[in-house]
Amino acid sequence: QVQLVESGGGLVQAGDSLRLSCATEGRAFSTYAMGWFRQAPGKEREFVAAINWNSLTSYADSVKGRFTISRDNAKNTAYLQMNSLKPEDTAVYYCAAQKFVITIATMPAYWGQGTQVTVSA
């Protein structure tokens, strides 16, 4: 079992930056892929970014060049650095974990409770 706790959301203005953190409890963190997904009001949950067990990363086209996912295996924590935020980035952001690999088509096994990110124009 893997427990995930997100933090770092908030209300910012367009163009600002935020860093989300996802702290995990459980064994063998380094063998898990970590992902970030988001869900805006009235929309389906969508893939944002993932970092696999071997640190290979992938991003949704909408955030490429603005968001960076990373992990610190010593701290059992994953991060999402979000720069140049836009109002359309407003959503609840969820951290997720899955053994080894997360792709855009993956439905991860473990989820956090979500953290709200609101970007004002």
Side-chain angles (χ1 to χ4, degrees):
Q1 189 75 8
V2 177
Q3 294 181 322
L4 310 174
V5 179
E6 303 100 331
S7 61
L11 171 63
V12 297
Q13 294 185 331
D16 286 350
S17 298
L18 274 177
R19 188 176 81 156
L20 305 182
S21 298
C22 177
T24 71
E25 293 184 8
R27 295 183 294 180
F29 174 79
S30 62
T31 67
Y32 281 82
M34 302 298 296
W36 289 95
F37 294 71
R38 67 187 181 186
Q39 188 167 18
K43 296 187 177 180
E44 293 187 352
R45 191 171 299 188
E46 65 176 1
F47 171 84
V48 175
I51 183 166
N52 291 329
W53 71 279
N54 57 3
S55 295
L56 287 179
T57 59
S58 57
Y59 297 92
D61 287 343
S62 60
V63 306
K64 278 181 182 177
R66 299 188 299 121
F67 291 11
T68 302
I69 190 170
S70 61
R71 64 189 299 154
D72 185 336
N73 289 342
K75 296 182 178 180
N76 287 2
T77 301
Y79 304 96
L80 185 68
Q81 178 66 43
M82 305 185 293
N83 298 330
S84 302
L85 283 161
K86 304 175 181 180
E88 51 264 43
D89 294 318
T90 295
V92 177
Y93 283 72
Y94 296 90
C95 177
Q98 176 74 31
K99 270 288 192 181
F100 301 121
V101 176
I102 290 175
T103 71
I104 193 171
T106 301
M107 179 56 67
Y110 304 101
W111 294 85
Q113 81 287 353
T115 185
Q116 177 70 46
V117 172
T118 303
V119 185
S120 63

